[in-house]
DNA sequence: CTTATTTACGAAACCGTTTTCGTGTGATGT
DNA sequence: ACATCACACGAAAACGGTTTCGTAAATAAG
C-alpha cells in the first residue's frame, strides 16, 4: 500500500480528514494530534500526492515560461531570475520554446487554458498577428505577465527595459563619435522591443538633423545566412554606413563575422553598438560597446509580479509597464 | 458548470465512461459514437483536466531537468535540445537550478520521489557526497538519466562527451605548439567531467615525459574573485606556465580577464585552450581554441533515452554511457 | 432453434486530497 | 440544572478523469 493520508489515518486510528487537516496545520486539530500526525508522517516519509492536491484545490503550483529560444544570453539570464524567485516561493517552472513560431506558441498556450499552470510568463514570438490564445488566458483566470517582448494590446503587466531611450542613446553615442551614416539592424519588423528601439534611434537622428532616408534599416530574421548576406550587402555598398546599431545580440555577432570576412576594421571603418546581455562583451575583438539589459532582474521582477498575483485573493493584474533601465557601456567597438 | 467529461456525457446522453473511452479512441466504442463525442468536444472546446488524469493514471507527462546553473552556454544549449524532443513527444519540461548547492539539489530531487515528474535529467552539483536522494528515485520507479556531470555509482544511463580523450588532446595540442609548462584549471575537485579531463591531460603529459609536479593544477570554484586571484597568482609567479587548459568555459573567460589585467599576451606569452560551447569563441580577442562540446545533441540524446524508457512497458534503463564526441577547433589563442 | 461470442455501452469503484457539515464531549454562563 | 458554545474529530461528498466489470442486444456457430 502506498504511503498516503489514508494509511496514516488507519495506522493512527484517525479519520483521513483529521490527518489532512493536521498536516495543513488546521486550527481545528489539537496540538497533541498534530504532533502525532507530523511525527508519524515524517517517520514513514509521507509525501503528499501533488496531483490529488492540484485536482482538488484547482491550483498546480506551476508557472510556465514561454520563450522564443534560449540560445540567446538574455533569455538564459531571464530563466535564472525566474527560477530563483519561483523556487523561493515554492513554485515550479515549466519552460517552453516557441522557436519563433506562432503556431507553436498557440499550441503551447492553449494547453494552459485548462489550468495546467497557475500563471504564465511570456516573451512573444515575432510573427504573432492575433493574440486570442493569450487573451483567452485572462478569461480563464490564468494570469499572464509579459517580459521583454511584450504585447501592448492586452490588459496585463509587462516588464521591459527602457528600449526607446536606449535606441536614442545608442544613436546619439555613435553620432557623438562622429558617425555620419548609421544603419539600424532590426530583428523582424513587428516586435515591440525592436520598434521602440528603432523609434528612439530615429528620434536621435532627427534631433541631429540626419536624413532618415540615408540611414538604412535592415530587417533581419532568424536565418543566419540571410542576415549575413543582407549585412554584407550594405557593408560592401559604395556609400556604406560608418555606424551600426544592432537591436539584438545575435545580429551584432553576425555583423562582427561579416566585418571579418570583408576585412572592415571596427571601429576604424565602422563603429558598432549593440543591445546585448553578453557577459564577455569586453573580451570580444574588439570589445563591444553594449546596451546591457538587466535580464536577470527582469526575470525576477516578472516572476515576482506573477506569483504575487497568485497568492493574493484578487488575482487581478494591473495593466502597467514596469521598466528596468539598461545601461550603455562604452568599449572599443565605438572608440 | 465546467466543461468536463461529465458535461459532455449529460449533453449527449451517454455515460461518462463512454465519453472517456471515446476520447481515448477505445476500440469498445462505435465509430458513430466516437464521432459524436469528438464533434461535441471540439464544439464546446473541451480540454481534459491534466491533474485528474495524472492522478488516476499515475503519470504526469512532465520531466524534470536539474542543472547547476544556466548562465553557462553549455546548459542553455542542453535545455534547447531537451525541450525540443520533449515537445515533440508531448512531454513538459520543468527546469530546476541547484546553484551548485547539494542541499538544494536534495530538496529538489526529494520532491520528485512521489511522482511529481515521470523522469529526471540531471547534471549533478559538484559537492555531492552521497547520492541517496538520487538512488531513491530508482527505488520509487522514476527513471533518471545523467548528462555531462554524471555520477558513475548509480545504475543508469549517462550521456557524456569524450572527456578523457579531449583532455588528452588539449594537452597534446599545447605540447605540439611548443608549451613546456601547462597548467590545468579544474572546477572543484570531484566532478566526474573534470576528473576525466584531468586524467587525459596528465596522460598526455606523461607520454611526452613531462614532470607532473611541474605542471600545476588549480582547483577553482564558482567564486569569480577567488578564481581570478588564483589564476593571477600562478600567472605572475616567476616560472609561470606557458600553456593553460581550462576545464570549463567560465574559468577560461576568467583567465582571459586576468591576462588582460596583467598584460600577458595570448598566445605569445601564454597559450590557452578551453572546454566550451561558446558560439562566438572565434570572435574573442584572441579567438579561442576550444574543445567544443555537443551540448545540444547531448540534451537531445539524454531526453530521448529518458522518454523512450517512459513509453516502454519495462522502464528499466540500462547502465551505460552514451558518448558523443567533442571537437577540437584550433584558433589564435594557441597559435 | 439454441448456445456461444462479440459489440457497444453503462454503473460504479477508484486515484489521494480537500472541504463541508455533522456530532459528541466538556466547559461556560445564568 | 439547563441552554449555549467552543473544541476536536469523523463521515462523506467532492475534484475530473480512468478502468474494471457487468450486461443487453446483435451476431455467429452448432
Amino acid at each position: 500500500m502506498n504511503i498516503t493520508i489514508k494509511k496514516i489515518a488507519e495506522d493512527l486510528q484517525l479519520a483521513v480528514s483529521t490527518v489532512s487537516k493536521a498536516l495543513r496545520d488546521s486550527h481545528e486539530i489539537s496540538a497533541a494530534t498534530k504532533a502525532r500526525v507530523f511525527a508519524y508522517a515524517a517517520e514513514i516519509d509521507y509525501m503528499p500526492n501533488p496531483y490529488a492536491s492540484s485536482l482538488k484545490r484547482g491550483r498546480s503550483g506551476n508557472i510556465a515560461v514561454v520563450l522564443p529560444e534560449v540560445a540567446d544570453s538574455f533569455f538564459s539570464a531571464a530563466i535564472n531570475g525566474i527560477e530563483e524567485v519561483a523556487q523561493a516561493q515554492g513554485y515550479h517552472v515549466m519552460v517552453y520554446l516557441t522557436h519563433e513560431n506562432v503556431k507553436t506558441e498557440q499550441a503551447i498556450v492553449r494547453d494552459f487554458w485548462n489550468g495546467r499552470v497557475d500563471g504564465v510568463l511570456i516573451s512573444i514570438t515575432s510573427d504573432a498577428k492575433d493574440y486570442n490564445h493569450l487573451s483567452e488566458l485572462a478569461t480563464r483566470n490564468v494570469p499572464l505577465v509579459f517580459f521583454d517582448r511584450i504585447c501592448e494590446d492586452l490588459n496585463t503587466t509587462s516588464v521591459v527595459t527602457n528600449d526607446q531611450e536606449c535606441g536614442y542613446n545608442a544613436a546619439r553615442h555613435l553620432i557623438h563619435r562622429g558617425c555620419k551614416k548609421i544603419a539600424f539592424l532590426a530583428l523582424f519588423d513587428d516586435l515591440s522591443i525592436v520598434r521602440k528601439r528603432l523609434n528612439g534611434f530615429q528620434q536621435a537622428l532627427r534631433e541631429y538633423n540626419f536624413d532618415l532616408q540615408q540611414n538604412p534599416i535592415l530587417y533581419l530574421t532568424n536565418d543566419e545566412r540571410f542576415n549575413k548576406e543582407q549585412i554584407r550587402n550594405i557593408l560592401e555598398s559604395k556609400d556604406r554606413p560608418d555606424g551600426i546599431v544592432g537591436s539584438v545580440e545575435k545580429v551584432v555577432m553576425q555583423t562582427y563575422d561579416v566585418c571579418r570576412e570583408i576585412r572592415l576594421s571596427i571601429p576604424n571603418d565602422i563603429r558598432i553598438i549593440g543591445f546585448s546581455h553578453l557577459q564577455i562583451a569586453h573580451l570580444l575583438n574588439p570589445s563591444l560597446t553594449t546596451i546591457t539589459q538587466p535580464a536577470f532582474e527582469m526575470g525576477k521582477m516578472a516572476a515576482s509580479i506573477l506569483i504575487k498575483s497568485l497568492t493574493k485573493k484578487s488575482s487581478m493584474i494591473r495593466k502597467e509597464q514596469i521598466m528596468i533601465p539598461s545601461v550603455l557601456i562604452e568599449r572599443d567597438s565605438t572608440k
Side-chain angles (χ1 to χ4, degrees), chain A:
Chain A
M1 178 180 178
N2 268 341
I3 300 180
T4 67
I5 268 191
K6 197 171 162 190
K7 174 172 173 50
I8 298 183
E10 283 177 12
D11 293 358
L12 257 43
Q13 296 284 41
L14 291 170
V16 292
S17 52
T18 307
V19 176
S20 175
K21 290 173 195 164
L23 289 172
R24 302 196 130 266
D25 203 27
S26 160
H27 65 91
E28 35 176 325
I29 303 299
S30 71
T33 306
K34 279 182 191 169
R36 277 179 71 209
V37 171
F38 274 117
Y40 189 64
E43 183 191 332
I44 65 174
D45 227 4
Y46 165 77
M47 305 186 72
N49 181 312
Y51 298 106
S53 182
S54 292
L55 172 59
K56 184 62 195 177
R57 306 182 55 177
R59 305 189 299 113
S60 64
N62 300 334
I63 63 176
V65 182
V66 184
L67 305 172
E69 58 184 351
V70 74
D72 190 300
S73 67
F74 176 86
F75 289 121
S76 305
I79 290 184
N80 237 306
I82 292 167
E83 207 275 345
E84 184 167 308
V85 341
Q87 193 175 120
Q89 306 282 334
Y91 278 85
H92 301 255
V93 177
M94 318 195 65
V95 171
Y96 297 85
L97 305 183
T98 61
H99 298 290
E100 216 76 76
N101 182 330
V102 212
K103 293 282 176 204
T104 306
E105 182 180 292
Q106 286 169 343
I108 289 169
V109 172
R110 275 187 62 99
D111 194 42
F112 303 150
W113 285 4
N114 60 348
R116 176 178 287 279
V117 295
D118 295 345
V120 178
L121 296 174
I122 194 172
S123 213
I124 62 175
T125 66
S126 58
D127 54 345
K129 295 294 177 231
D130 79 297
Y131 302 101
N132 285 337
H133 56 300
L134 295 176
S135 55
E136 184 74 17
L137 283 176
T139 312
R140 302 190 179 223
N141 281 319
V142 8
L144 173 69
V145 171
F146 290 103
F147 71 102
D148 198 49
R149 294 185 175 196
I150 71 171
C151 165
E152 291 169 309
D153 302 345
L154 294 191
N155 274 320
T156 187
T157 301
S158 301
V159 176
V160 295
T161 189
N162 51 345
D163 290 301
Q164 165 122 8
E165 186 179 342
C166 289
Y168 177 89
N169 290 342
R172 199 182 51 177
H173 175 68
L174 288 180
I175 294 171
H176 285 175
R177 284 287 180 272
C179 290
K180 299 299 179 201
K181 175 168 183 164
I182 308 176
F184 184 90
L185 306 188
L187 180 69
F188 306 111
D189 58 351
D190 49 3
L191 230 37
S192 58
I193 49 169
V194 174
R195 272 204 316 269
K196 288 190 203 158
R197 291 167 190 180
L198 176 57
N199 279 346
F201 169 81
Q202 293 187 320
Q203 184 191 335
L205 293 192
R206 274 190 297 269
E207 274 186 24
Y208 285 87
N209 294 317
F210 278 55
D211 179 358
L212 289 192
Q213 302 305 318
Q214 295 300 310
N215 296 270
I217 303 168
L218 254 61
Y219 289 99
L220 303 177
T221 68
N222 263 349
D223 180 345
E224 181 169 342
R225 187 183 305 262
F226 169 83
N227 289 359
K228 286 193 179 176
E229 211 172 283
Q230 297 290 308
I231 297 170
R232 183 175 189 139
N233 281 346
I234 201 168
L235 291 188
E236 282 181 332
S237 65
K238 58 177 181 296
D239 57 338
R240 59 166 172 74
D242 55 4
I244 291 228
V245 175
S247 65
V248 297
E249 186 174 300
K250 196 165 38 184
V251 301
V252 179
M253 296 301 102
Q254 290 163 359
T255 306
Y256 262 55
D257 280 339
V258 171
C259 286
R260 298 219 160 181
E261 287 166 20
I262 64 177
R263 308 198 179 285
L264 271 186
S265 160
I266 311 171
N268 299 323
D269 298 329
I270 188 159
R271 283 178 239 265
I272 300 183
I273 181 172
F275 285 78
S276 168
H277 184 261
L278 205 56
Q279 291 305 298
I280 54 171
H282 65 287
L283 292 180
L284 294 182
N285 185 15
S287 64
L288 172 66
T289 296
T290 57
I291 289 155
T292 300
Q293 303 143 296
F296 181 75
E297 289 73 18
M298 287 171 72
K300 279 180 70 170
M301 177 64 80
S304 297
I305 292 171
L306 180 65
I307 291 178
K308 193 166 293 171
S309 93
L310 294 178
T311 46
K312 287 265 173 62
K313 331 272 173 207
S314 71
S315 79
M316 268 310 292
I317 297 193
R318 289 207 310 267
K319 167 151 183 156
E320 66 177 324
Q321 286 197 7
I322 312 276
M323 186 173 287
I324 308 182
S326 296
V327 16
L328 196 159
I329 302 178
E330 300 184 25
R331 299 202 185 83
D332 292 343
S333 68
T334 56
K335 187 156 268 179

Short mmCIF file of all heavy atoms in Angstrom, two decimals, chain A residues 22 28 30 59 62 67 74 79 97 111 121 136 156 159-160 181 209 216 231 263 285 288 311 323 326:
data_model
loop_
_atom_site.label_atom_id
_atom_site.label_comp_id
_atom_site.label_asym_id
_atom_site.label_seq_id
_atom_site.Cartn_x
_atom_site.Cartn_y
_atom_site.Cartn_z
N ALA A 22 -4.59 18.07 10.00
CA ALA A 22 -3.40 18.15 10.86
C ALA A 22 -2.19 18.56 10.02
O ALA A 22 -1.42 19.44 10.40
CB ALA A 22 -3.15 16.82 11.54
N GLU A 28 -8.52 23.46 13.76
CA GLU A 28 -9.49 22.59 14.42
C GLU A 28 -8.92 21.26 14.88
O GLU A 28 -9.66 20.36 15.28
CB GLU A 28 -10.73 22.37 13.55
CG GLU A 28 -10.51 22.31 12.07
CD GLU A 28 -11.82 22.00 11.32
OE1 GLU A 28 -12.64 21.25 11.85
OE2 GLU A 28 -11.96 22.49 10.19
N SER A 30 -6.19 19.44 17.52
CA SER A 30 -5.44 19.71 18.75
C SER A 30 -3.94 19.57 18.53
O SER A 30 -3.50 18.82 17.65
CB SER A 30 -5.88 18.75 19.85
OG SER A 30 -5.42 17.45 19.57
N ARG A 59 -5.28 24.31 -8.12
CA ARG A 59 -4.04 25.04 -8.35
C ARG A 59 -2.89 24.04 -8.41
O ARG A 59 -2.87 23.05 -7.70
CB ARG A 59 -3.77 26.04 -7.22
CG ARG A 59 -4.93 27.00 -7.01
CD ARG A 59 -4.57 28.11 -6.05
NE ARG A 59 -4.22 27.60 -4.73
CZ ARG A 59 -3.01 27.69 -4.22
NH1 ARG A 59 -2.04 28.26 -4.91
NH2 ARG A 59 -2.75 27.20 -3.02
N ASN A 62 2.54 25.41 -10.48
CA ASN A 62 3.45 25.52 -11.62
C ASN A 62 3.26 26.86 -12.33
O ASN A 62 2.14 27.34 -12.47
CB ASN A 62 3.20 24.41 -12.63
CG ASN A 62 3.41 23.04 -12.03
OD1 ASN A 62 4.16 22.87 -11.08
ND2 ASN A 62 2.73 22.05 -12.58
N LEU A 67 9.25 31.10 -24.20
CA LEU A 67 10.31 31.89 -24.81
C LEU A 67 10.47 31.55 -26.28
O LEU A 67 10.18 30.43 -26.69
CB LEU A 67 11.65 31.59 -24.12
CG LEU A 67 11.72 31.76 -22.61
CD1 LEU A 67 13.04 31.22 -22.10
CD2 LEU A 67 11.54 33.21 -22.26
N PHE A 74 20.36 36.59 -23.20
CA PHE A 74 19.32 37.31 -22.49
C PHE A 74 18.33 36.36 -21.83
O PHE A 74 18.03 36.46 -20.64
CB PHE A 74 18.56 38.25 -23.45
CG PHE A 74 17.42 38.95 -22.79
CD1 PHE A 74 17.62 40.14 -22.11
CD2 PHE A 74 16.14 38.42 -22.84
CE1 PHE A 74 16.57 40.79 -21.48
CE2 PHE A 74 15.09 39.07 -22.21
CZ PHE A 74 15.30 40.25 -21.54
N ILE A 79 15.70 33.23 -17.37
CA ILE A 79 15.29 31.98 -16.74
C ILE A 79 15.89 31.88 -15.34
O ILE A 79 15.22 31.49 -14.39
CB ILE A 79 15.75 30.76 -17.58
CG1 ILE A 79 14.96 30.68 -18.87
CG2 ILE A 79 15.60 29.47 -16.79
CD1 ILE A 79 15.30 29.46 -19.70
N LEU A 97 9.66 26.43 -25.46
CA LEU A 97 10.30 27.23 -26.51
C LEU A 97 9.42 27.25 -27.76
O LEU A 97 8.93 26.21 -28.20
CB LEU A 97 11.67 26.65 -26.86
CG LEU A 97 12.63 26.49 -25.68
CD1 LEU A 97 13.97 25.97 -26.16
CD2 LEU A 97 12.81 27.81 -24.96
N ASP A 111 -2.66 24.96 -24.25
CA ASP A 111 -2.54 23.89 -23.27
C ASP A 111 -2.61 24.43 -21.84
O ASP A 111 -2.82 23.67 -20.90
CB ASP A 111 -1.21 23.16 -23.50
CG ASP A 111 -1.16 21.84 -22.77
OD1 ASP A 111 -2.17 21.12 -22.79
OD2 ASP A 111 -0.12 21.55 -22.15
N LEU A 121 4.44 33.36 -17.83
CA LEU A 121 5.36 34.43 -18.20
C LEU A 121 5.71 34.22 -19.66
O LEU A 121 6.06 33.12 -20.06
CB LEU A 121 6.65 34.35 -17.38
CG LEU A 121 6.50 34.55 -15.88
CD1 LEU A 121 7.82 34.29 -15.18
CD2 LEU A 121 6.03 35.97 -15.60
N GLU A 136 -7.39 34.78 -24.12
CA GLU A 136 -8.26 33.74 -23.57
C GLU A 136 -7.78 33.30 -22.18
O GLU A 136 -8.57 32.87 -21.34
CB GLU A 136 -8.29 32.54 -24.52
CG GLU A 136 -9.21 31.42 -24.12
CD GLU A 136 -10.69 31.75 -24.32
OE1 GLU A 136 -10.97 32.71 -25.07
OE2 GLU A 136 -11.54 31.05 -23.73
N THR A 156 -2.56 43.57 -19.14
CA THR A 156 -1.80 42.92 -18.10
C THR A 156 -0.46 43.63 -17.91
O THR A 156 -0.14 44.57 -18.63
CB THR A 156 -1.60 41.43 -18.41
OG1 THR A 156 -0.99 40.78 -17.30
CG2 THR A 156 -0.73 41.24 -19.64
N VAL A 159 6.98 43.63 -18.17
CA VAL A 159 8.27 44.05 -17.62
C VAL A 159 9.21 44.29 -18.79
O VAL A 159 9.46 43.38 -19.59
CB VAL A 159 8.85 42.98 -16.69
CG1 VAL A 159 10.22 43.38 -16.19
CG2 VAL A 159 7.90 42.74 -15.52
N VAL A 160 9.68 45.50 -18.90
CA VAL A 160 10.51 45.86 -20.06
C VAL A 160 11.71 46.68 -19.61
O VAL A 160 11.85 47.01 -18.43
CB VAL A 160 9.70 46.72 -21.06
CG1 VAL A 160 8.57 45.92 -21.66
CG2 VAL A 160 9.18 47.98 -20.38
N LYS A 181 26.64 58.16 -41.00
CA LYS A 181 25.59 57.34 -41.62
C LYS A 181 25.45 56.06 -40.80
O LYS A 181 26.39 55.26 -40.73
CB LYS A 181 25.99 57.00 -43.06
CG LYS A 181 25.02 56.05 -43.74
CD LYS A 181 25.28 55.96 -45.22
CE LYS A 181 24.26 55.05 -45.88
NZ LYS A 181 24.23 55.22 -47.33
N ASN A 209 19.51 66.26 -37.06
CA ASN A 209 19.33 66.66 -38.45
C ASN A 209 19.88 65.67 -39.47
O ASN A 209 20.41 66.05 -40.50
CB ASN A 209 19.96 68.03 -38.69
CG ASN A 209 19.23 69.10 -37.92
OD1 ASN A 209 17.98 69.10 -37.88
ND2 ASN A 209 19.96 69.98 -37.28
N PRO A 216 19.95 53.54 -43.31
CA PRO A 216 19.13 52.36 -43.66
C PRO A 216 18.71 51.52 -42.45
O PRO A 216 19.38 51.50 -41.41
CB PRO A 216 20.06 51.55 -44.55
CG PRO A 216 21.43 51.98 -44.19
CD PRO A 216 21.33 53.40 -43.75
N ILE A 231 23.65 41.98 -44.39
CA ILE A 231 24.64 42.84 -43.74
C ILE A 231 25.82 43.08 -44.68
O ILE A 231 26.30 44.21 -44.84
CB ILE A 231 25.13 42.20 -42.43
CG1 ILE A 231 23.97 42.07 -41.44
CG2 ILE A 231 26.26 43.00 -41.81
CD1 ILE A 231 24.28 41.23 -40.22
N ARG A 263 36.95 42.19 -44.18
CA ARG A 263 38.07 42.96 -43.66
C ARG A 263 37.75 44.44 -43.45
O ARG A 263 38.48 45.32 -43.91
CB ARG A 263 39.29 42.83 -44.59
CG ARG A 263 39.62 41.39 -44.90
CD ARG A 263 41.01 41.20 -45.43
NE ARG A 263 41.25 39.78 -45.68
CZ ARG A 263 41.48 38.89 -44.71
NH1 ARG A 263 41.51 39.28 -43.46
NH2 ARG A 263 41.66 37.61 -45.00
N ASN A 285 36.75 40.93 -29.90
CA ASN A 285 37.77 41.62 -30.67
C ASN A 285 37.15 42.42 -31.80
O ASN A 285 36.77 41.84 -32.81
CB ASN A 285 38.74 40.59 -31.26
CG ASN A 285 39.89 41.26 -31.97
OD1 ASN A 285 40.12 42.44 -31.81
ND2 ASN A 285 40.58 40.50 -32.78
N LEU A 288 33.06 45.02 -27.31
CA LEU A 288 31.83 45.55 -27.89
C LEU A 288 31.14 46.55 -26.97
O LEU A 288 30.89 46.26 -25.80
CB LEU A 288 30.87 44.38 -28.18
CG LEU A 288 29.46 44.74 -28.62
CD1 LEU A 288 29.47 45.42 -29.98
CD2 LEU A 288 28.59 43.50 -28.64
N THR A 311 -0.84 34.55 -5.15
CA THR A 311 -1.05 34.33 -3.73
C THR A 311 -2.10 35.27 -3.16
O THR A 311 -2.75 34.96 -2.18
CB THR A 311 0.28 34.52 -2.96
OG1 THR A 311 0.92 35.70 -3.43
CG2 THR A 311 1.21 33.36 -3.24
N MET A 323 9.43 49.25 -15.79
CA MET A 323 10.62 49.49 -16.60
C MET A 323 11.89 49.39 -15.78
O MET A 323 12.02 50.06 -14.76
CB MET A 323 10.52 50.88 -17.24
CG MET A 323 11.64 51.14 -18.22
SD MET A 323 11.37 52.68 -19.09
CE MET A 323 10.04 52.25 -20.20
N SER A 326 18.31 49.78 -18.80
CA SER A 326 19.55 49.18 -19.29
C SER A 326 20.68 50.20 -19.11
O SER A 326 20.42 51.38 -18.83
CB SER A 326 19.44 48.84 -20.77
OG SER A 326 18.46 47.87 -20.99
#
